[in-house]
Amino acid sequence: MGARAGARPPAAAGLITRVEVVARRGPGGRTVLPVVRGSGQLAVRRTGPASVHLVATAFGPLGGDDAEVRLVVEEGATLAVRTVAAAVALPDRAGDRPSAQRVVAEVAGTLDLRPEPTVVAARASHRAELVATLAPGAVLTATEQVLLGRTGEEPGRWTGTTRVVVGGRPLLHTTVGLGPGAPAWLPPVAPRAYASTVHVGQAAGVLTADDAVRLPLENGWVATAWGAELHRVVRAVEAVA
Amino acid sequence: MTAALLTLADSRLPAGGHTHSGGVEQAIAAGHVHDPASLAAFLLRRLTTAGAVTAGLAAAATTRSSSGRHRGHVPSPGARSPAGSSSGEPPAPASSELVAALRHLDGEADARTPSPALRAASRQQGRGLVRVGRRAWPSPVWDALPAAPHHPVALGVAAAAGGLTPRDAAAAAAYLSVSGPATAAQRLLALDPLTVAAVTARLAPAIDAVADDALRDGLPADTDPLLDLLAEVHATRGDRFFAS
Amino acid sequence: MPPDHNLADYVDAPTAHRHGGPLRVGLGGPVGSGKTALAAALCRTLGAEYDLAVVTNDIYTTEDADFLRRNAVLPDDRIEAVQTGCCPHTAIRDDITANLDAVELLEARHPGLELVFVESGGDNLTASFSYGLVDVQVFVVDVAGGDKVPRKGGPGVTASDLLVVNKTDLAPLVGADLDVMRRDSATVRGDRPTLLISLREDPAATEVAAWVREQVRVRRLQQG
């Protein structure tokens, strides 16, 4: 929580953001949050007994910024994580470094991670990563919503990696690259908007739609949709989720 | 590189590749591929996603299968062994560590291939490669593979058994990720085979780059959700020519 | 070349690829000559005698398999359809992987299997089965294709283990001379048998079934 709103270090340094939230099963089975800690660009607000909102305290991220959000959900506990507004990833002022955000989650209980969209401005490059390590029986829902370019703007570049490990075995590991320069972002399918949800806890089979697909995982599924407009894409991914 | 790489990457190696289109059949049906330029775009997407992943897995499988006492013994006349072709030291048994290492890679391949149709296609081609590979390059390392392994894992083991390097295995995987789909598109669209050959040939620098990247630390995980969607829609069709 | 190279090192053991199992019979021939109808007839006639299954290679995935199912010739779990990648002759001759997978799947599902028919997708007169896939092969042509077909030859006509000339009932209608076909077949095929049949007149394919029985018997003798 050390960052002052709007304050930024010299451009070359890049802002370091660290968030940590621990959810624990408390007396009577209710979840308590013994650790709720934010620094750099993100503050953490408790918005319910088992939920937090991440609040940006500076604009960005900018290229060169580095954020890590560490989430621990112990057995029997539940944690919901939200953000209050879309994040707008902006270009590096000093060069062409990407901004990075890693979510590292250790889940033995239930984690529900649904941030607002990430908008990647023209010439910006953003790298998002989710590494979720689940105990057997853990429940995870994690969503991602991406829009390349603000209104009327050229698309930026986004790379998103998701790795989910359950009981020591890799369940899902994918990296999606979007935007100019991403090798597989080629006409005729080069979408500006992308949404994805991964769920572990309840199985579901294959479902296909126009520019959307749900794939089964052991005891879970992953749904993906893409297109020109984010609101349509979000509806599409919810339709196959 | 030895000539074994030419055999391994040859589309005429009877490993079942000709019945798979790598998504091209459905990409054509969906209108994404209709001419040489759109085919080139499709091949590039496939090369840099599925191709990169298979190259990484194949290289890793070769590394594991070749290390130390796990190095595949190759009792073929081509092997320049001072002990001769069939009187060399007996092949090391497939160790439990190698079994575990290959099973781990197979699990990483599953995690990178959530589409059931693509998993089935990969395992079907892996099984086909094991069938011919065991005959072509006898080695105890084959016994370390799980039944119906993912194709890149089998490819890495085949490379090790054939005396090839991880870079060779990556090159074969990257090349095969485009050569099969290119041929399939040629058949389905009746494209000029010379034009298609030129497209494939001009992808060589991109194929080399993918093979080089495959040797870096960490297995690639690049994916293209479009290929997943095409594969799943294709699998439900009763009127398809290709298995995938 | 290593100084001690031995030609035997280049060749793997000749029996490495087959360990007993059912007799595998290839059914090939041009489009429309009656391969699927013959497969159905043989299944009906021989189904009660042998534990049998069929692999189909229709150019489209499932059409022939659906035909066999519709005709209730065999239960679903005894029919496997394979895709041939637009290239039916490749799938039975140059790269037999998909067909081997299908045969092995059927063998695993039915451990007592005695007989498997592999029906090729309709192709031209040059198509023939690899003996890595089948033990014996039947090539099916029909009289409607013209009585010059046997004389033209091609690997299917000359080298198949049995040549079947189907639809003899149509001979008067299409002006085909069965004697010419019989004589030309004998000329190009030497000692290999040829059967002129009409599945319309003999839906049991009696003579072809008898030939298949003999092949099963011979294989059992060879296997001891």
Side-chain angles (χ1 to χ4, degrees):
Chain A
M1 294 261 231
R4 292 141 295 161
R8 300 202 61 90
L15 196 57
I16 304 295
T17 297
R18 295 291 180 262
V19 168
E20 185 171 15
V21 179
V22 176
R24 181 168 296 157
R25 185 175 190 271
R30 284 177 38 229
T31 294
V32 296
L33 306 178
V35 178
V36 176
R37 190 183 293 147
S39 72
Q41 202 189 358
L42 291 172
V44 191
R45 304 269 184 261
R46 296 171 188 258
T47 47
S51 70
V52 296
H53 277 64
L54 306 183
V55 184
T57 57
F59 59 87
L62 270 59
D65 288 355
D66 181 276
E68 180 168 305
V69 176
R70 194 172 122 77
L71 306 171
V72 177
V73 186
E74 297 180 357
E75 190 171 351
T78 297
L79 177 64
V81 179
R82 305 285 186 266
T83 61
V84 294
V88 181
L90 297 166
D92 187 3
R93 288 170 172 173
D96 58 358
R97 293 170 301 174
S99 51
Q101 183 180 74
R102 288 181 305 286
V103 176
V104 180
E106 290 171 34
V107 187
T110 299
L111 173 62
D112 184 42
L113 174 65
R114 298 171 192 261
E116 294 298 305
T118 300
V119 179
V120 189
R123 297 179 308 284
S125 176
H126 184 71
R127 289 188 183 161
E129 188 175 3
L130 168 66
V131 178
T133 305
L134 274 58
V139 175
L140 170 73
T141 304
T143 67
E144 185 93 66
Q145 299 176 3
V146 181
L147 180 64
L148 305 183
R150 292 170 291 194
T151 307
E153 188 179 65
E154 290 298 304
R157 169 95 187 261
W158 182 85
T159 306
T161 293
T162 302
R163 180 173 172 88
V164 181
V165 176
V166 180
R169 286 177 49 215
L171 183 74
L172 179 69
H173 192 159
T174 54
T175 298
V176 173
L178 305 172
W185 196 74
L186 293 168
V189 181
R192 288 179 74 108
Y194 169 86
S196 172
T197 300
V198 57
H199 175 77
V200 180
Q202 190 170 3
V206 170
L207 194 58
T208 62
D210 287 346
D211 298 334
V213 60
R214 182 182 70 199
L215 302 169
L217 303 172
E218 192 179 326
N219 194 34
W221 46 266
V222 57
T224 308
W226 56 93
E229 295 175 71
L230 185 59
H231 67 280
R232 290 181 194 278
V233 167
V234 168
R235 275 211 301 274
V237 81
E238 284 168 354
V240 296
Chain B
M1 198 268 262
T2 80
L5 176 57
L6 305 178
T7 301
L8 194 58
D10 188 345
S11 65
R12 295 184 61 83
L13 183 73
H18 77 103
T19 61
H20 293 268
S21 83
V24 150
E25 182 168 38
Q26 195 58 32
I28 290 169
H32 300 316
V33 172
H34 49 83
D35 63 4
S38 54
L39 173 62
F42 181 89
L43 296 179
L44 272 170
R45 327 179 56 110
R46 191 164 198 281
L47 172 66
T48 55
T49 54
V53 168
T54 56
L57 289 165
T62 305
T63 302
R64 305 288 192 284
S65 312
S66 310
S67 58
R69 64 197 179 88
H70 304 318
R71 174 171 283 283
H73 174 76
V74 189
S76 76
R80 298 291 180 89
S81 158
S85 58
S86 56
S87 56
E89 59 181 287
S95 71
S96 57
E97 301 96 279
L98 181 57
V99 169
L102 295 178
R103 189 175 301 279
H104 164 78
L105 285 176
D106 205 60
E108 293 290 348
D110 261 349
R112 286 160 174 76
T113 319
S115 154
L118 292 179
R119 275 189 191 182
S122 176
R123 293 193 179 281
Q124 191 179 5
Q125 292 177 86
R127 175 187 161 102
L129 181 58
V130 170
R131 183 187 283 116
V132 63
R134 273 183 184 278
R135 300 272 299 273
W137 301 288
S139 164
V141 298
W142 293 108
D143 296 329
L145 277 169
H150 272 285
H151 182 255
V153 180
L155 189 64
V157 167
L164 295 168
T165 66
R167 174 63 170 71
D168 293 332
Y175 175 74
L176 289 169
S177 78
V178 296
S179 63
T183 303
Q186 181 196 317
R187 289 183 191 168
L188 289 165
L189 291 172
L191 295 172
D192 178 351
L194 307 189
T195 304
V196 174
V199 169
T200 311
R202 291 176 194 185
L203 285 171
I207 293 169
D208 287 339
V210 164
D212 288 339
D213 283 351
L215 303 181
R216 294 196 306 205
D217 281 348
L219 294 170
D222 303 84
T223 191
D224 184 350
L226 175 66
L227 294 182
D228 293 337
L229 174 60
L230 292 174
E232 292 304 329
V233 174
H234 185 258
T236 64
R237 283 175 52 185
D239 61 344
R240 58 201 164 101
F241 292 110
F242 289 85
S244 74
Chain C
M1 196 68 75
D4 62 344
H5 89 107
N6 178 346
L7 284 179
D9 286 343
Y10 293 88
V11 183
D12 65 353
T15 55
H17 61 295
R18 288 284 263 130
H19 314 276
L23 178 77
R24 300 175 184 178
V25 180
L27 300 175
V31 178
S33 60
K35 293 183 297 298
T36 309
L38 179 60
L42 291 171
C43 289
R44 276 193 301 267
T45 305
L46 299 172
E49 297 170 45
Y50 300 111
D51 191 339
L52 66 81
V54 180
V55 178
T56 64
N57 279 221
D58 195 51
I59 56 162
Y60 275 131
T61 314
T62 57
E63 196 161 298
D64 287 351
D66 291 344
F67 177 90
L68 293 176
R69 289 190 184 106
R70 267 201 313 278
N71 287 268
V73 173
L74 284 179
D76 277 8
D77 67 351
R78 289 178 179 271
I79 303 169
E80 277 297 310
V82 306
Q83 295 86 20
T84 60
C86 292
C87 227
H89 65 263
T90 302
I92 60 166
R93 188 178 59 197
D94 304 326
D95 185 347
I96 57 179
T97 306
N99 274 304
L100 286 175
D101 280 346
V103 170
E104 288 171 9
L105 178 68
L106 289 165
E107 289 177 358
R109 199 184 284 157
H110 304 286
L113 211 57
E114 297 168 286
L115 180 58
V116 178
F117 293 110
V118 182
E119 183 205 339
S120 80
D123 212 310
N124 56 41
L125 292 174
T126 66
S128 57
F129 285 85
S130 157
Y131 283 103
L133 175 61
V134 299
D135 301 304
V136 291
Q137 55 188 303
V138 180
F139 199 74
V140 185
V141 298
D142 68 60
V143 300
D147 57 17
K148 288 196 285 295
V149 165
R151 195 184 319 147
K152 285 181 184 169
V157 169
T158 58
S160 57
D161 299 288
L162 174 67
L163 177 66
V164 171
V165 180
N166 188 21
K167 307 185 190 175
T168 51
D169 52 303
L170 297 182
L173 302 174
V174 299
D177 186 330
L178 295 178
D179 287 335
V180 166
M181 297 185 87
R182 196 175 282 117
R183 194 179 61 228
D184 288 348
S185 298
T187 304
V188 298
R189 290 176 55 77
D191 292 339
R192 296 185 182 84
T194 300
L195 293 173
L196 279 68
I197 69 167
S198 165
L199 285 173
R200 182 175 295 177
E201 292 166 2
D202 175 19
T206 309
E207 289 178 287
V208 182
W211 181 86
V212 172
R213 279 189 202 99
E214 177 63 11
Q215 305 309 307
V216 175
R217 192 185 68 81
V218 168
R219 178 169 168 78
R220 281 178 181 160
L221 286 175
Q222 287 168 345
Q223 288 181 331

